[in-house]
């Protein structure tokens, strides 16, 4: 594309000069110069018109040239014009912006100087083909910017031919494909990730076209069908998996393709002689549908086993005579067995989903609330007894064991309660307690009368001793007085023993037990260490007398005791609550009879009574100390009769 404007300007200048010379002749102002060839024309007027027309045409051509040149310069496409030698003749604004070089610096340079070395061979091949007059498809080159950066671009080229039909100029139109390259790279990476994902999922994956032929599939699908990828691609899914060739599956795939909505179905077929259950998930795609086949045989078997287990559990629960129900924290009943429904007189269908509870007297409500408030993730079970007012107005006693279920944040999700009517047992217990009280009253009265009579007998023996001097009779009198003292000791023991087992066993804090045992004793300078922590034992309230007796024995008989320690330690049965001092200990020959009734320096009932008190709740006591190094008693508490109430210390 040679610059035509200067040539047109020269020609226009000559024509204008000729016009100036012809103008006087047109106006008849003189003779034509001699020898002027133009004067030989017969019609000067026609010549003048042609000159004017030529001048106007030249101006029009120049204006059009300027317009097209401006359009070329401002084209959004990247355009370069080169000669047959690949030297840049012209470059538009888009090219200068791409290369980062001014137009005057681009002109005169070979186009190959702005190509990446790896694109040079292809460029030279393209130029050679153009020189041979061949038409070239779009070529892809890597352009180099002035700052060293590279830009991928496609180039379309057209050829202008000169005299003799030889290529004179080439017009190169480049298209920046950086965006397309990024999209292609992202697409390639996405496809790689997709391929890696589908290859590594455990589900069998198949991509189908609209005719049900396999486009791609993963290793799991190959293992399931026993066909390689090469064997499967292009084949019908129904040929690869004949078990799927049924109306239900075919209709399912057709529905997915027609509605454009994903769906899930199940199918069963044999593999290696065993029936398997598969979950088939289908997702519509542009090409057809994608299918994921998952073997859920184990899950279905587990669900069936769970269903059967739940059915068995339900049969067990329903056959129980205990009242069983489950409630949400807001009191909504989610389950109730037949025994519960019969007890309250409401059908189970009317209870589920409702908030319902029997009326509880105001005196018992606080105890129930306290029981529920005590439930924690570490101690999720509590038992409470309370009265209820039945629909007929009668009052019954119930015992409930409440178990709380917690979520990961420690909030209650549900309560399960197992209850029983203990009205008859309660009445029997109260009757037994009343009978015991009456027996104790009778025992107290009888003991009082006997002690009174023993006092009278003791007085008469004293008078008898004063009036008798016969040694033999005095010896008889001494023996009678000893027998009288024994009777008085036995009567004192019955006063203590009558309270054993009268009160109901309860959970008692070990530290409080020792503190109450020390209340009536004076340990002096003896240090008493209680390291039981938050241990509680389930025992008769008279357990305080056990520790009172042990501490009293250490103070009375330990002789050189300076320290008493009480602490728990693990044992085969549960735990042992150890009591030990650093006194003289207990001789070996004494240990065998230590807990026998009547053995000891005082009444002989202390350790015997201690063993009886502990035995009410299955607790035992034994002495394991070493003589000369101190006494050591191990109080063995079985499982279920002790607990640690602190958070994180439950055993």
């Amino acid at each position: 594309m040679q610059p035509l404007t200067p040539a047109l300007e020269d020609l226009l200048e000559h024509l204008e000069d000729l016009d100036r010379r012809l103008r006087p002749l047109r106006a008849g102002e003189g003779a034509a110069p001699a020898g002027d060839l133009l004067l030989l024309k017969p019609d000067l007027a026609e010549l003048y018109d042609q000159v004017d027309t030529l001048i106007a045409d030249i101006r029009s051509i120049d204006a059009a040239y300027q317009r097209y040149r401006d359009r070329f310069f401002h084209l959004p496409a990247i355009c370069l014009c080169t000669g047959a030698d690949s030297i840049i003749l012209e470059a538009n604004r888009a090219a200068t912006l791409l290369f980062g070089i001014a137009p005057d610096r681009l002109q005169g340079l070979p186009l190959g100087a702005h190509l990446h070395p790896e694109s040079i061979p292809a460029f030279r091949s393209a130029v050679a083909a153009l020189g041979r007059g061949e038409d070239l498809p779009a070529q892809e080159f890597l352009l180099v910017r002035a700052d060293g950066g590279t830009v991928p671009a496609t180039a379309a080229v057209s050829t202008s031919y000169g005299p003799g039909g030889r290529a004179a100029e080439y017009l190169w139109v480049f298209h920046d494909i950086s965006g397309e390259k990024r999209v292609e790279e992202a697409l390639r990476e996405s496809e790689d990730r997709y391929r890696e994902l589908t290859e590594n999922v455990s589900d069998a994956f198949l991509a189908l076209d609209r005719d049900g032929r396999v486009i791609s599939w993963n290793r799991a699908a190959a293992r399931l069908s026993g066909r390689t990828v090469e064997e499967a691609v292009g084949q019908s899914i129904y040929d690869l998996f004949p078990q799927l060739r049924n109306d239900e599956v075919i209709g399912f795939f057709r529905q997915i393709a027609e509605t454009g909505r994903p769906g899930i179905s199940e199918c069963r077929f044999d593999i290696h002689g065993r029936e398997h259950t598969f979950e088939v998930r289908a997702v519509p795609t542009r090409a057809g549908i994608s299918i994921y086949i998952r073997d859920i045989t184990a899950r279905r078997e587990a669900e069936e086993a769970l269903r059967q287990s739940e059915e068995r559990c339900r049969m067990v629960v329903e056959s129980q005579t205990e009242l069983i129900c489950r409630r949400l924290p807001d009191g909504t009943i989610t389950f109730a067995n037949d025994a519960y429904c019969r007890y309250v007189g409401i059908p189970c269908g009317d209870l589920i989903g409702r908030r319902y509870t029997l009326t509880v007297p105001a005196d018992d409500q606080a105890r129930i609330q306290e029981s529920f408030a005590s439930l924690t993730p570490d101690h999720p079970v509590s038992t409470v007894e309370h009265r209820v007012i039945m629909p007929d107005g009668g009052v019954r006693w119930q015992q409930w064991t409440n178990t709380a279920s917690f979520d990961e944040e420690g909030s209650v999700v549900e309560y399960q309660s197992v209850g029983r009517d203990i009205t008859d047992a309660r009445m029997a217990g109260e009757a037994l307690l009343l009978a015991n009280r009456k027996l104790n009253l009778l025992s107290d009265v009888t003991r009082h009368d006997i002690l009174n009579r023993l006092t009278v007998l003791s007085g008469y023996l004293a008078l008898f001793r004063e009036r008798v001097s016969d040694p033999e009779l005095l010896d008889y009198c001494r023996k009678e007085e000893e027998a009288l003292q024994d009777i008085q000791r036995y009567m004192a023991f019955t006063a203590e023993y009558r309270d054993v087992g009268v009160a109901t066993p309860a959970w008692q804090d070990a530290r409080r037990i020792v503190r109450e045992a020390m209340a009536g004793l004076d340990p002096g300078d003896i240090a008493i260490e209680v390291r039981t922590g938050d241990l509680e034992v389930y025992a008769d309230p008279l357990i305080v007398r056990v520790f009172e007796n042990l501490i009293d024995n250490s103070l009375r008989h330990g002789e050189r005791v300076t320290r008493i320690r009480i602490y728990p330690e693990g044992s085969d049965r549960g735990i042992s609550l150890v009591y030990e001092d650093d006194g003289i200990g207990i001789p070996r020959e004494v240990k065998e009879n230590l807990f026998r009734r009547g053995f000891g320096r005082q009444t002989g009932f202390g350790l015997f009574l201690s063993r009886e008190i502990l035995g009410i709740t299955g607790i035992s006591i034994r002495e394991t100390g070493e003589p000369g190094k101190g006494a050591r008693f191990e109080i063995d508490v079985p499982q279920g009769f002790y607990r640690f109430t602190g958070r994180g210390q439950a055993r």
Side-chain angles (χ1 to χ4, degrees):
M1 188 180 292
Q2 297 291 343
L4 301 178
T5 300
L8 287 174
E9 288 180 351
D10 290 344
L11 179 59
L12 183 61
E13 183 178 350
H14 290 308
L15 289 173
E16 288 177 342
D17 180 60
L18 178 61
D19 182 64
R20 284 192 299 272
R21 293 169 61 191
L22 292 175
R23 191 176 296 117
L25 295 176
R26 185 186 308 171
E29 297 176 355
D36 195 330
L37 295 177
L38 293 175
L39 296 180
L40 299 178
K41 293 289 184 179
D43 192 354
L44 291 176
E46 183 179 353
L47 178 61
Y48 298 150
D49 291 340
Q50 291 178 354
V51 170
D52 291 340
T53 301
L54 183 58
I55 292 173
D57 289 344
I58 291 174
R59 290 185 181 278
S60 176
I61 292 172
D62 185 60
Y65 169 79
Q66 290 295 341
R67 284 198 307 273
Y68 283 105
R69 195 167 189 279
D70 288 343
R71 291 174 183 174
F72 169 79
F73 185 76
H74 292 97
L75 277 175
I78 303 163
C79 298
L80 292 170
C81 183
T82 67
D85 56 0
S86 299
I87 300 298
I88 298 175
L89 303 176
E90 282 192 90
N92 71 347
R93 182 172 176 272
T96 62
L97 293 176
L98 174 70
F99 290 105
I101 302 175
D104 56 346
R105 293 184 56 193
L106 273 175
Q107 294 174 3
L109 295 176
L111 178 56
H114 300 287
L115 298 178
H116 192 274
E118 69 181 30
S119 296
I120 296 297
F123 174 72
R124 290 175 177 172
S125 176
V127 171
L130 291 171
R132 294 191 297 269
E134 299 177 7
D135 293 330
L136 291 182
Q139 303 285 310
E140 186 174 321
F141 299 109
L142 191 61
L143 307 180
V144 179
R145 295 170 48 86
D147 59 6
T150 58
V151 179
T154 57
V157 59
S158 62
T159 306
S160 297
Y161 296 94
R166 298 184 62 184
E169 296 179 357
Y170 304 123
L171 178 62
W172 303 83
V173 180
F174 292 94
H175 173 63
D176 185 349
I177 59 172
S178 302
E180 290 88 336
K181 287 293 186 182
R182 287 193 294 270
V183 171
E184 289 177 1
E185 179 64 20
L187 180 60
R188 186 189 61 79
E189 292 178 356
S190 176
E191 289 177 345
D192 289 343
R193 289 194 298 269
Y194 175 74
R195 187 177 298 107
E196 181 180 358
L197 177 63
T198 56
E199 282 298 327
N200 291 297
V201 294
S202 58
D203 297 350
F205 167 77
L206 302 90
L208 308 180
D209 62 16
R210 298 187 181 278
D211 296 325
R213 291 188 296 268
V214 175
I215 300 173
S216 67
W217 71 357
N218 63 356
R219 288 191 293 266
R223 289 194 299 269
L224 186 62
S225 69
R227 309 282 185 89
T228 64
V229 175
E230 293 76 12
E231 294 173 333
V233 171
Q235 297 294 318
S236 170
I237 186 175
Y238 304 113
D239 293 335
L240 297 172
F241 298 99
Q243 299 88 343
L244 298 179
R245 194 187 296 274
N246 59 71
D247 294 340
E248 182 178 354
V249 175
I250 294 174
F252 169 66
F253 289 159
R254 183 183 300 112
Q255 179 183 5
I256 299 300
E258 292 176 353
T259 63
R261 292 193 298 268
I264 301 177
S265 181
E266 284 190 14
C267 64
R268 294 179 176 84
F269 51 83
D270 291 340
I271 296 180
H272 306 303
R274 180 189 174 194
E275 185 179 75
H276 286 245
T277 303
F278 292 91
E279 178 184 80
V280 181
R281 289 175 293 142
V283 180
T285 63
R286 291 183 179 180
I289 59 174
S290 291
I291 299 173
Y292 298 85
I293 302 176
R294 175 177 297 179
D295 190 339
I296 59 171
T297 305
R299 189 175 77 188
R300 286 290 181 260
E301 290 175 349
E303 289 173 353
E304 178 61 21
L306 178 61
R307 187 193 63 77
Q308 294 179 3
S309 176
E310 289 178 345
E311 185 64 27
R312 288 193 296 268
C313 290
R314 180 177 294 275
M315 292 176 60
V316 171
V317 170
E318 292 295 349
S319 64
Q320 294 298 308
T321 57
E322 283 85 357
L323 315 178
I324 302 175
C325 68
R326 290 197 294 268
R327 286 185 172 88
L328 299 178
D330 65 357
T332 302
I333 296 177
T334 59
F335 171 80
N337 70 342
D338 288 342
Y340 183 91
C341 298
R342 289 194 303 270
Y343 188 84
V344 300
I346 300 176
C348 291
D350 296 337
L351 273 179
I352 306 302
R354 287 180 52 192
R355 299 180 186 177
Y356 177 82
T357 182
L358 291 171
T359 303
V360 177
D363 296 344
D364 294 353
Q365 290 179 3
R367 185 161 62 252
I368 296 173
Q369 293 174 358
E370 180 182 354
S371 175
F372 277 98
S374 68
L375 299 176
T376 66
D378 295 318
H379 296 283
V381 182
S382 70
T383 301
V384 63
E385 295 181 2
H386 60 82
R387 293 166 296 170
V388 295
I389 300 176
M390 300 299 293
D392 60 2
V395 178
R396 307 287 295 179
W397 276 93
Q398 293 179 342
Q399 181 190 73
W400 287 95
T401 299
N402 300 306
T403 304
S405 299
F406 297 86
D407 58 19
E408 295 179 354
E409 286 74 29
S411 300
V412 177
V413 176
E414 190 179 51
Y415 296 104
Q416 176 172 288
S417 301
V418 179
R420 57 186 59 84
D421 190 307
I422 59 171
T423 305
D424 295 341
R426 187 93 181 186
M427 293 174 63
E430 291 177 355
L432 179 60
L433 181 61
L434 179 61
N436 284 335
R437 288 174 180 172
K438 291 181 178 180
L439 289 174
N440 285 336
L441 178 60
L442 177 62
S443 176
D444 288 343
V445 172
T446 304
R447 183 171 51 256
H448 183 268
D449 292 343
I450 292 174
L451 288 175
N452 285 341
R453 304 309 296 170
L454 289 176
T455 301
V456 173
L457 180 59
S458 177
Y460 279 115
L461 284 175
L463 292 175
F464 182 76
R465 176 182 290 279
E466 291 177 358
R467 297 187 179 187
V468 174
S469 59
D470 185 350
E472 185 176 356
L473 292 177
L474 289 174
D475 185 55
Y476 291 154
C477 184
R478 179 183 60 78
K479 292 180 179 180
E480 290 173 353
E481 288 176 342
E482 289 177 356
L484 184 62
Q485 292 173 359
D486 287 341
I487 294 173
Q488 289 175 332
R489 285 199 301 272
Y490 293 147
M491 296 305 295
F493 171 71
T494 60
E496 293 184 356
Y497 198 74
R498 68 169 186 171
D499 294 329
V500 176
V502 173
T504 303
W507 288 104
Q508 302 175 71
D509 182 74
R511 289 173 297 186
R512 182 190 60 78
I513 293 171
V514 178
R515 186 168 58 250
E516 292 183 5
M518 294 169 51
L521 301 174
D522 182 14
D525 296 333
I526 298 176
I528 299 180
E529 300 177 8
V530 183
R531 299 181 178 179
T532 57
D534 51 9
L535 172 66
E536 289 185 353
V537 294
Y538 189 74
D540 190 289
L542 289 179
I543 191 174
V544 174
R545 299 287 296 276
V546 174
F547 285 90
E548 180 182 344
N549 184 57
L550 293 175
I551 296 173
D552 183 63
N553 284 342
S554 294
L555 299 180
R556 289 176 180 272
H557 311 303
E559 296 186 8
R560 61 169 186 262
V561 176
T562 62
R563 184 181 66 177
I564 295 174
R565 298 173 61 216
I566 302 171
Y567 59 90
E569 64 179 22
S571 70
D572 295 339
R573 294 185 58 206
I575 64 165
S576 291
L577 188 57
V578 179
Y579 173 96
E580 62 182 18
D581 63 35
D582 58 353
I584 63 173
I586 299 174
R588 296 190 186 281
E589 63 273 11
V590 173
K591 292 187 177 187
E592 183 177 350
N593 300 317
L594 196 59
F595 297 97
R596 184 168 57 83
R597 181 170 62 87
F599 182 83
R601 302 181 186 178
Q602 300 298 319
T603 62
F605 296 121
L607 290 177
F608 168 75
L609 187 60
S610 296
R611 186 178 63 181
E612 295 297 308
I613 292 171
L614 296 173
I616 292 174
T617 53
I619 302 174
S620 60
I621 183 172
R622 53 198 172 101
E623 204 285 326
T624 59
E626 186 174 347
K629 294 184 179 180
R632 175 184 169 93
F633 290 89
E634 295 183 12
I635 301 173
D636 295 324
V637 186
Q639 291 279 359
F641 289 85
Y642 69 91
R643 67 185 183 188
F644 291 85
T645 59
R647 183 178 292 274
Q649 300 184 35
R651 299 187 183 180

